[in-house]
Amino acid sequence: MTRALFISLVSCLLVAKQAKSQVLGRCAVAKLLFEEGADGFEGYYLSDWLCLAFVESGFNISKINENADGSFDYGIFQINSHYWCNDYRSHSENLCHVDCQELLNSNLLSAINCAKRIVSGGGGMNNWIEWKLHCLGRPLAHWMTGCHL
Ligand SMILES: *[C@@H]1O[C@H](CO)[C@@H](O)[C@H](O)[C@H]1NC(C)=O
């Protein structure tokens, strides 16, 4: 293989990898949450949702994390495949009736809908350990600073 061909192949692969992982802006996430009726849902406001999304994924909608028990966490809210979505590689209750890959969609529709289901099932956002550690009981209004919806 020529050197030039090799280099263009490698840069193609790099571009493909970048396109796959996507980090959304804070206010873009706020807008999508607002449009899906998350503001005030079960007593949680946009600033609560933003804190949750940030501590779970840093707004990386492509984030996938493997857990010690063999399950995986998907997307902006790091939704777990053992209980909430089906990833066809580990046992799942699939309580959100959704394909885990769909939770990575950049329109956030499935991710927000599944997160709402988790929030309304008892315990609210306390279902997310990172929420309890970093968001619960803290002032969160600053998360909405500069976001005009
Ligand atoms: C987003 O998550 C994907 C999958 O976990 C990871 O490969 C990628 O590096 C992350 N992107 C950023 C900017 O952290």
Side-chain angles (χ1 to χ4, degrees), residues 1 7 21 59 94-95 100 102 125:
M1 194 183 323
I7 288 170
S21 119
F59 304 132
N94 194 8
L95 295 171
C100 294
E102 190 50 35
M125 289 189 180

Side-chain angles (χ1 to χ4, degrees), residues 56-68:
E56 285 295 338
S57 66
F59 304 132
N60 182 355
I61 62 166
S62 322
K63 184 174 175 187
I64 301 174
N65 184 58
E66 182 169 12
N67 300 299

Side-chain angles (χ1 to χ4, degrees), residues 36-37 47 53 57 68 71 77 87 95 99 102 117 138-139:
E36 289 312 302
S47 47
S57 66
S71 66
F77 300 118
D87 68 354
L95 295 171
D99 194 317
E102 190 50 35
R117 196 184 171 106
R138 298 186 188 225

Side-chain angles (χ1 to χ4, degrees), residues 40-97:
F41 184 80
E42 297 278 332
Y44 291 100
Y45 295 91
L46 292 180
S47 47
D48 297 300
W49 288 98
L50 288 179
C51 188
L52 173 66
F54 184 77
V55 298
E56 285 295 338
S57 66
F59 304 132
N60 182 355
I61 62 166
S62 322
K63 184 174 175 187
I64 301 174
N65 184 58
E66 182 169 12
N67 300 299
D69 67 359
S71 66
F72 292 81
D73 296 330
Y74 288 85
I76 189 163
F77 300 118
Q78 289 292 278
I79 291 173
N80 184 264
S81 64
H82 188 91
Y83 299 103
W84 305 105
C85 63
N86 194 356
D87 68 354
Y88 307 98
R89 52 179 167 179
S90 50
H91 169 77
S92 177
E93 307 287 330
N94 194 8
L95 295 171
C96 284
H97 306 292

